[in-house]
Amino acid sequence: MSSDVVALLRTELGDRVDTSPACLAAVRADKSGHGADGVPLAVVHAASVADVQAVMRVATATRTPVVPRGAGTGLAGGANTGGGEIALSLRGMDRLVEVRPDDLLAVVEPGIVNADLNALLEPHGVWWAPDPASRAISTVGGNIATGAGGLLCAKYGVVRDAVLGVDLVLADGRLLRLGHRSVKGVTGLDLTSLVIGSEGTLGVVVGATLKLRRLIAGERVTLTALFDGVRAAAVASAAVTASGIQPAIMELMDATSLAAVHRLLSLPAPPPGSAQLTIQTDGPVAADEARAIAQVLTEAGGRVSVAADDAEGEKLLAVRRAMHPAMETLGTALIEDVSVPRSALPDMFDEIARIERDFALVIPTVAHAGDGNLHPNFVFAGPDVPPVVWDAAEQLFHAALRLGGTLTGEHGIGVLKRRWLADELGDDQWKLQRDIARVFDPLGILNPGKVFAP
Amino acid sequence: MSSDVVALLRTELGDRVDTSPACLAAVRADKSGHGADGVPLAVVHAASVADVQAVMRVATATRTPVVPRGAGTGLAGGANTGGGEIALSLRGMDRLVEVRPDDLLAVVEPGIVNADLNALLEPHGVWWAPDPASRAISTVGGNIATGAGGLLCAKYGVVRDAVLGVDLVLADGRLLRLGHRSVKGVTGLDLTSLVIGSEGTLGVVVGATLKLRRLIAGERVTLTALFDGVRAAAVASAAVTASGIQPAIMELMDATSLAAVHRLLSLPAPPPGSAQLTIQTDGPVAADEARAIAQVLTEAGGRVSVAADDAEGEKLLAVRRAMHPAMETLGTALIEDVSVPRSALPDMFDEIARIERDFALVIPTVAHAGDGNLHPNFVFAGPDVPPVVWDAAEQLFHAALRLGGTLTGEHGIGVLKRRWLADELGDDQWKLQRDIARVFDPLGILNPGKVFAP
């Protein structure tokens, strides 16, 4: 039966069907470290919408599960492909099809890498704002499938705010064009938004119409502030938000994270126990805003340094961007992703401290403090997440929910958080969501076992 | 059977069930002028979520259609209630429940009027950006149900960009809490976005968590530019967008509209054939932006006047805001709502001129030129839309679709556009959308005959 499926795929798609052991092994995992069980049937390297449609027709005819995949940089196992499944790679469909600076839109294929897209857009004076930390390696299609966020979201929005339409191949191979090219449009239900963040459970994104912004004129000012502990830094970041000034970036690193990155980058060790905020302002009044923010931070007990220029500002941000490599030097990292209302950041850090005590764990944490999204890291030895870590993670999720927050700000549910999904949604909404997915995919062949699996 | 339904409602809801002839007559129509056939069973003035749940339980038990209603200011007949139907008014649930300037969010009941909400938010230094022209009389719940837009959308977004979560009562009376209080959140499918613009077909919106903005600091500068004809004005507005400067407001009035408003307001008649752009900039560099825009407009052949101050600026905008009253002095107005990519505005005005010639009609048109949303008005005598007007409107819709646009930018489908919905969506997407609605409402009692009716 499996060999029949591969044979059918080969008939339709020839050498775009890959069954090399290395390739089959690679698609079993994403950047979460978690891997699926079993060996996938095949990886199909789609080169066109027609290829995707052909795969889905074979899959429907043979009831074979299909896992859509971009660059495999997800952190929740959403693109992991296991035994009996087809991995459908969109990575090769990477063209920028159209740029319209006058309409502030671009049409792209899903496999284009976020940073590559922005490099192509820059000469036109425009950019696509979503900036996940993975932007140098993650695809726009993957950003859409996960509803990705990033550092700039409080000021410039998340993926949901930056997509006008998507082209979607359904489970049975039909192609739908969802959404609009116009700024406004309310024709029926907003299926574009429904697809954003649906993690491959509703269809295969084969194209997107993106909402662009003009490049930001004016200067950028970057500053850091050191605090005696993470709670003080969190209180200060909430004070910045409450002051009414909107920084482009406001990142928080706790003491463990900061020390680990300084070690990795061979920088002088920060004062013991120090947490740090890194803030960037941009636009026509960036300097005024940076001055006002520096005052708020100083009043909150921070020791402020302002970068002399863009190059020095980039160095300060590089410290934040080195967080994940620094964690990898310590062991295997499970990167969590809870998000809370901004005013609840100090309380969430208290909860993390409590969980560290209760479970005798160290949980190095960075946060997109401008939008309330925290990335607590659990670091351990070996490939498998120890039970104690999942117990602690569960406490983390429940604490975020109690504070009015969510399990996942930008990484998605995938396989790693599916067992807590109903805790947030409630059973009624969980079932409603799953039933909606079944309308798109009545046979249950689209990324089964992800998000809604019991 | 109908009397049984009313009796059941009275048992549950007492004097909140209204069967007075005047009230039953009022809910048959909205501001479109179109009215439903037959006399509704009852109007229920809900005072709480529990009231809404009680209505829906009776409706489910008796298979009775329910039409949710805010202030009845819709322009597509979406809230019109006909024979055998219950009108469920949310207008009385109008509390501002919570304001969090530090988290930039507010929690509201659905019946609060948009302008009333903003008056309450202003002392907190925040506002809710969606500004439909009806904002003085329309409710936030209605704005959500229609996915409303307004004048400020190109710079500050539409309703979809300004809602974090909704509380939704399902057809069977169960209450779901959709969405988040945090800036980011990707837990499962984005049902909040799905509800926005669903026109009462998925459930009854009984509460919302709104995303707020800080009040804009700095000055506002308002200017107008007169052009020899609407095409020249449209080309100039596209040039402003293409220049990279983002005005807060950019409105276009064609010659017929401008002349009608000047007559209504007893202003001196504009030069014959003149169309006008009215533009406002705001924020810290508003004056610089206005100067740059004035130059673009002058180079495009416009005769520019800049308001001396805010009061004069308001007078210039009042001309634009008097459009609907001016149309009402001419007869019954069917206000259309096509939207196109901004660069296609000049072509869309050419299409309108062609349709005027082909059908021997005058179609006074205003446009939110900043976002490409046009409101062509068909004016006629008597309450019923003449067949020739629908024939012309169909040409208008098809022209907008050819130019990459949509049937409706911000008013919705309701009853008035349902026969063209599949022209835009395609049959496959039309059916998929209807099947999704059935997941929420398996008995088909939520606003039947609207949006998806064949």
Side-chain angles (χ1 to χ4, degrees), chain A residues 100-105 146-151 153-154 157-164 168 170 174-194 196-199 201-202 211 214 238 240-246 284-285 337 339-344 368 370-373 375 403-413 421 424-425 428-429 431-437 439-440 451-452, chain B residues 100-105 146-151 153-154 157-164 168 170 174-194 196-199 201-202 211 214 238 240-246 284-285 337 339-344 368 370-373 375 403-413 421 424-425 428-429 431-437 439-440 451-452:
Chain A
R100 291 296 299 253
D102 51 351
D103 287 325
L104 290 171
L105 67 83
T146 53
L151 277 63
C153 301
V158 292
V159 165
R160 178 200 176 200
D161 305 308
V163 179
L164 294 168
L168 190 78
L170 295 178
R174 283 178 296 160
L175 172 66
L176 298 186
R177 298 189 186 278
L178 311 176
H180 305 95
R181 282 173 69 94
S182 46
V183 174
K184 291 176 180 168
V186 289
T187 320
L189 302 179
D190 183 0
L191 297 193
T192 302
S193 292
L194 195 68
I196 294 168
S198 64
E199 304 188 46
T201 62
L202 304 185
K211 188 173 169 182
R214 301 279 169 202
V240 170
T241 298
S243 77
I245 309 156
Q246 180 61 67
V285 289
D337 179 40
S339 202
V340 294
R342 284 164 280 199
S343 64
H368 306 304
D371 62 49
N373 183 202
H375 294 309
L403 292 171
T406 173
L407 296 178
T408 173
E410 57 188 12
H411 294 169
I413 299 296
L421 181 60
E424 178 167 339
L425 300 184
D428 285 344
Q429 191 187 164
K431 183 172 178 309
L432 184 74
Q433 292 204 2
R434 192 205 50 192
D435 289 350
I436 291 167
V439 172
F440 286 80
V451 187
F452 301 113
Chain B
R100 292 295 301 252
D102 52 350
D103 286 325
L104 290 172
L105 66 82
T146 53
L151 276 64
C153 302
V158 292
V159 165
R160 178 198 176 201
D161 304 309
V163 179
L164 294 169
L168 190 77
L170 294 178
R174 282 177 297 159
L175 173 65
L176 298 185
R177 298 190 186 278
L178 312 177
H180 304 94
R181 281 174 70 94
S182 47
V183 174
K184 292 175 179 168
V186 289
T187 321
L189 302 179
D190 182 0
L191 297 193
T192 302
S193 293
L194 196 68
I196 294 169
S198 64
E199 304 188 46
T201 63
L202 303 185
K211 188 174 170 181
R214 301 280 169 201
V240 170
T241 299
S243 77
I245 309 156
Q246 179 61 67
V285 289
D337 180 41
S339 202
V340 294
R342 285 164 279 200
S343 64
H368 306 303
D371 62 50
N373 182 203
H375 295 308
L403 291 170
T406 172
L407 295 177
T408 174
E410 58 187 10
H411 294 170
I413 299 295
L421 181 60
E424 178 167 338
L425 300 184
D428 285 345
Q429 191 188 163
K431 183 171 177 309
L432 184 74
Q433 292 205 0
R434 193 204 49 190
D435 289 349
I436 292 167
V439 172
F440 286 79
V451 188
F452 300 113

Side-chain angles (χ1 to χ4, degrees), chain A residues 359-416:
Chain A
F359 290 85
L361 291 170
V362 177
I363 310 176
T365 299
V366 294
H368 306 304
D371 62 49
N373 183 202
L374 302 96
H375 294 309
N377 284 250
F378 294 96
V379 184
F380 47 89
D384 297 317
V385 180
V388 63
V389 167
W390 280 131
D391 291 346
E394 179 167 274
Q395 292 279 314
L396 190 73
F397 302 152
H398 288 167
L401 294 179
R402 278 196 305 277
L403 292 171
T406 173
L407 296 178
T408 173
E410 57 188 12
H411 294 169
I413 299 296
V415 288
L416 293 181

Side-chain angles (χ1 to χ4, degrees), chain A residues 282-351:
Chain A
D282 64 4
V285 289
D288 293 345
E289 290 177 344
R291 264 189 298 275
I293 287 172
Q295 189 173 339
V296 171
L297 296 174
T298 304
E299 285 165 10
R303 296 180 294 291
V304 176
S305 315
V306 183
D309 53 30
D310 253 20
E312 197 182 317
E314 274 309 299
K315 275 187 200 159
L316 296 178
L317 277 170
V319 171
R320 165 64 184 87
R321 293 210 173 98
M323 173 64 181
H324 295 179
M327 290 301 105
E328 286 172 351
T329 63
L330 303 178
T332 308
L334 173 72
I335 305 169
E336 281 309 333
D337 179 40
V338 292
S339 202
V340 294
R342 284 164 280 199
S343 64
L345 261 184
D347 289 349
M348 191 65 217
F349 276 106
D350 288 347
E351 294 281 359

